[in-house]
């Protein structure tokens, strides 16, 4: 029995070891992991293969189209045609039914078609190639958004960890004060009401810690989704908020490197090709064709011998078609395409203005956030110093409980403001490198 218990314990320990898979990641490693495993990026690769298949399909239309046909026919009931009876010596003015043809017929043939002039085909190739380039831009855009989201969520987790650390320090200080106050309560030096207020404050701190832990875990789950990381494995972030390096930001706006603008420009190009596709319907088409057929006939189910007749025949030539009038349908379709292009051109101008605005907004926000981080860090230090002084005075019975609670609230507010300023700074940095085109250039270089 003892051996069985030991074996069972050993198996449980092995199972728990297998489940405790831990992955440690820096911000850079998290971004690289996401770029290699994210599901949305996998979908863009599939879409790229679809476009490549579409290009091959259109190119195939420019190659010879060859078909081989075959048919067997049993005319078990041949139709009669009425002929004048006098042809076979019958009574004039009457008719006689005559059956023409053979009962069994075998046919086969080779049919070859080759497009020689088709302006729609030429423009379709240009359209699909432009679509492929647009798809490549979408892949880059997906990577850009993924990097932004990973860094932002990673930062949110760092903020949550720092918040938990600060709240734990506040909670420990409050616990020590409660213990000291309870001793003073027994000695009759402190009121029970003051002790209760400290306990209420501790309860509020515990709630804040629980909320911060939930927020952190929620962000970790979000990061796992972005990374396509197994949900049952442990993800550890090795970079802390205090270790975070400042993002190196370029000084100028590179408008042409902005991926959203690049996509709009490519959409305009694609729209103009669509115009040409419709206009190509006005032009004539020229095809070459070649056919070669075999035909065999018999009245008995035998396909050889003196009663079986067969023959070969073939043709080749050129076929042209010239559109003349379609009720102005094509003209109206061209107008629709031209208006769509005009709308995209207007969208491009609006987008350029918005990119300029986003760049200037983010640039100014970084300046403001840097000042706020510095000020809030100093403010947090002063609030901590003030709290410690009042706590000492409270312990000595000089300061009132309200002064202590007010200073503790001010400290927590300063800590919260500092963390919010840190988060806003990182978000502004990310918005700036995205709007300026800096991030897209870095992705292209790698």
């Amino acid at each position: 029995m003892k051996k069985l218990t030991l074996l069972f314990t050993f198996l449980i320990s092995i199972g728990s070891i297998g489940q405790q898979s831990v992955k440690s990641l820096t911000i850079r490693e998290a971004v690289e992991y996401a770029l290699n495993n994210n599901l949305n990026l996998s979908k863009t690769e599939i879409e790229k293969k679809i476009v490549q298949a579409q290009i091959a399909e259109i190119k195939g239309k420019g190659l010879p189209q060859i078909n081989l046909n075959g048919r067997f026919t049993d005319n078990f009931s041949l139709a009669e045609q009425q002929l004048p009876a006098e042809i076979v010596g019958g009574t004039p003015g009457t008719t006689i039914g005559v059956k023409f043809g053979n009962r069994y017929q075998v046919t086969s043939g080779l049919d070859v078609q080759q497009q020689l002039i088709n302006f729609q085909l030429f423009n379709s190739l240009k359209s699909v190639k432009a679509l492929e380039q647009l798809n490549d831009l979408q892949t880059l855009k997906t990577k850009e958004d993924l990097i932004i989201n990973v860094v932002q969520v990673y930062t949110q987790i760092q903020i949550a960890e720092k918040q938990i650390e600060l709240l734990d320090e506040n909670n420990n200080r409050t616990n020590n004060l409660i213990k000291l106050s309870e001793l003073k309560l027994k000695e009759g030096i402190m009121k029970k009401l003051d002790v209760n207020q400290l306990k209420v404050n501790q309860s509020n701190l515990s709630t804040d810690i629980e909320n911060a832990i939930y927020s952190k875990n929620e962000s970790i789950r979000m990061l796992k989704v972005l990374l396509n990381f197994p949900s049952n494995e442990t993800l550890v972030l090795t970079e802390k908020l205090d270790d975070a390096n400042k993002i190196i930001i370029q000084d100028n706006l590179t408008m042409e490197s902005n991926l959203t603008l690049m996509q709009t420009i490519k959409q305009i190009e694609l729209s103009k090709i669509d115009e040409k596709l419709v206009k190509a319907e006005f032009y004539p088409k020229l095809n070459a064709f070649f056919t070669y057929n075999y035909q065999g006939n018999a009245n008995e189910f035998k396909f050889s011998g003196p009663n079986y007749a067969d023959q070969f025949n073939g043709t080749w030539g050129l076929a042209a078609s010239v559109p003349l009038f379609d009720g102005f349908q094509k003209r109206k379709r061209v107008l629709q395409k031209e208006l769509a292009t005009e709308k995209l051109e207007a969208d491009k101008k609006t987008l350029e203005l918005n990119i300029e605005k986003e760049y200037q907004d983010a640039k100014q926000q970084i300046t403001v956030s840097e000042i706020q981080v510095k000020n809030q860090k100093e403010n947090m230090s002063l609030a901590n110093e003030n709290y410690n002084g009042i706590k000492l005075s409270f312990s000595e019975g000089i300061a009132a409980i309200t002064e202590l609670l007010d200073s503790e609230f001010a400290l927590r507010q300063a800590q919260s403001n500092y963390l919010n300023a840190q988060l806003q700074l990182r978000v502004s940095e990310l918005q700036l490198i995205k709007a300026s085109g800096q991030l897209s250039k870095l992705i292209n270089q790698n």
Side-chain angles (χ1 to χ4, degrees):
M1 183 68 182
K2 185 176 181 181
K3 290 182 179 179
L4 183 61
T5 304
L6 288 172
L7 178 61
F8 182 71
T9 305
F10 176 71
L11 290 173
I12 290 176
S13 65
I14 290 177
S16 63
I17 290 171
Q19 293 172 357
Q20 293 174 354
S21 179
V22 179
K23 183 77 172 176
S24 300
L25 295 173
T26 63
I27 288 184
R28 184 181 183 87
E29 289 168 344
V31 168
E32 290 174 351
Y33 191 99
L35 291 174
N36 290 327
N37 297 279
N38 182 264
L39 292 176
N40 285 334
L41 274 180
S42 300
K43 288 195 296 185
T44 60
E45 289 300 318
I46 294 173
E47 290 169 359
K48 185 175 181 179
K49 291 178 181 178
I50 291 173
V51 174
Q52 289 172 345
Q54 290 174 339
I55 291 174
E57 178 188 3
I58 292 177
K59 286 181 177 179
K61 292 180 181 180
L63 298 175
Q65 308 297 301
I66 303 173
N67 294 292
L68 183 64
N69 305 306
R71 184 171 181 175
F72 168 77
T73 305
D74 179 1
N75 300 305
F76 62 88
S77 178
L78 289 169
E80 288 187 351
Q81 291 190 5
Q82 298 297 317
L83 298 177
E86 56 262 35
I87 293 177
V88 293
T91 305
T94 61
T95 60
I96 184 171
V98 179
K99 293 182 179 181
F100 290 94
N102 302 99
R103 177 170 180 177
Y104 300 107
Q105 186 177 68
V106 176
T107 59
S108 63
L110 180 70
D111 179 72
V112 181
Q113 301 283 335
Q114 173 63 56
Q115 297 189 73
L116 299 178
I117 299 176
N118 187 340
F119 293 97
Q120 277 186 299
L121 178 62
F122 302 149
N123 286 295
S124 293
L125 281 171
K126 292 180 182 178
S127 177
V128 179
K129 286 180 180 177
L131 188 61
E132 183 182 29
Q133 293 168 352
L134 187 62
N135 187 71
D136 290 340
L137 288 174
Q138 182 56 49
T139 301
L140 287 176
K141 185 72 168 60
T142 303
K143 288 182 179 180
E144 184 183 65
D145 291 340
L146 178 62
I147 292 171
I148 294 289
N149 289 333
V150 168
V151 175
Q152 190 164 321
V153 174
Y154 197 108
T155 303
Q156 287 172 348
I157 296 170
Q158 290 176 319
I159 295 290
E161 288 177 341
K162 187 65 177 179
Q163 184 181 19
I164 293 168
E165 178 189 328
L166 294 173
L167 287 171
D168 279 335
E169 291 175 2
N170 296 339
N171 195 42
N172 291 334
R173 282 193 291 260
T174 304
N175 281 334
N176 293 332
L177 280 173
I178 290 173
K179 291 177 183 178
L180 178 63
S181 299
E182 286 177 339
L183 289 174
K184 289 188 175 185
L185 177 64
K186 290 179 181 179
E187 296 171 359
I189 302 174
M190 184 168 287
K191 299 176 183 178
K192 183 174 177 57
L193 181 62
D194 292 342
V195 177
N196 289 342
Q197 284 181 307
L198 286 173
K199 289 182 177 180
V200 169
N201 194 48
Q202 183 196 39
S203 177
N204 292 335
L205 276 170
S206 298
T207 301
D208 290 342
I209 291 171
E210 289 171 2
N211 290 336
I213 291 172
Y214 175 81
S215 177
K216 173 192 169 183
N217 292 335
E218 184 181 33
S219 296
I220 288 176
R221 288 191 289 270
M222 185 68 242
L223 186 60
K224 285 182 176 181
V225 171
L226 293 172
L227 271 58
N228 190 25
F229 188 85
S231 59
N232 61 335
E233 295 185 13
T234 303
L235 184 62
V236 177
L237 310 187
T238 56
E239 285 188 32
K240 304 304 177 184
L241 183 64
D242 297 332
D243 304 328
N245 296 318
K246 188 179 185 301
I247 297 175
I248 300 173
I249 299 172
Q250 67 181 28
D251 295 330
N252 60 314
L253 169 62
T254 312
M255 185 76 74
E256 63 274 11
S257 296
N258 185 285
L259 283 174
T260 306
L261 181 61
M262 291 168 70
Q263 285 179 307
T264 303
I265 292 171
K266 187 57 65 175
Q267 286 171 343
I268 292 171
E269 179 185 334
L270 190 59
S271 183
K272 289 179 178 179
I273 294 173
D274 286 343
E275 287 180 36
K276 293 180 180 179
L277 272 172
V278 179
K279 290 176 181 178
E281 296 179 22
F282 289 98
Y283 303 138
K285 297 178 181 178
L286 181 65
N287 296 337
F289 64 87
F290 170 83
T291 59
Y292 194 68
N293 301 308
Y294 169 82
Q295 180 175 329
N297 299 282
N299 285 315
E300 298 178 359
F301 199 73
K302 292 181 179 180
F303 303 99
S304 62
N307 294 324
Y308 179 73
D310 61 351
Q311 62 175 337
F312 290 90
N313 62 81
T315 60
W316 74 270
L318 299 174
S321 64
V322 181
L324 296 177
F325 182 71
D326 67 347
F328 305 109
Q329 294 179 52
K330 288 191 286 291
R331 184 174 297 178
K332 297 304 178 184
R333 286 205 302 275
V334 170
L335 178 60
Q336 293 174 44
K337 297 296 182 182
E338 289 173 344
L339 291 173
T341 302
E342 189 177 332
K343 181 177 177 295
L344 285 171
E345 293 281 5
D347 290 342
K348 175 176 172 285
K349 292 178 181 178
T350 303
L351 180 59
E352 287 172 341
L353 293 174
N354 285 329
I355 291 171
E356 179 69 35
K357 175 188 175 298
E358 289 173 7
Y359 175 78
Q360 296 298 338
D361 287 349
K363 196 172 180 180
Q364 185 176 3
Q365 183 61 59
I366 287 175
T367 303
V368 172
S369 296
E370 286 176 340
I371 295 171
Q372 288 178 345
V373 168
K374 181 182 176 182
N375 291 342
Q376 292 303 328
K377 189 172 184 179
E378 293 174 357
N379 192 35
M380 186 171 64
S381 178
L382 290 172
N384 188 59
E385 183 181 338
N386 185 50
Y387 172 79
N388 288 331
I390 295 177
K391 183 181 72 170
L392 181 61
S393 298
F394 176 79
S395 302
E396 295 173 351
I398 301 173
I401 185 68
T402 53
E403 290 182 79
L404 179 66
L405 293 177
D406 287 345
S407 64
E408 194 271 342
F409 177 78
L411 175 59
R412 286 166 59 187
Q413 190 67 40
Q415 291 169 345
S416 178
N417 291 341
Y418 171 72
L419 294 176
N420 288 335
Q422 284 277 24
L423 179 60
Q424 185 59 57
L425 176 60
R426 180 51 61 94
V427 170
S428 300
E429 289 173 342
L430 293 173
Q431 289 175 344
L432 186 63
I433 64 170
K434 180 180 178 181
S436 67
Q438 180 181 352
L439 183 55
S440 65
K441 285 195 293 185
L442 289 173
I443 296 171
N444 276 323
Q445 288 170 4
N446 295 322

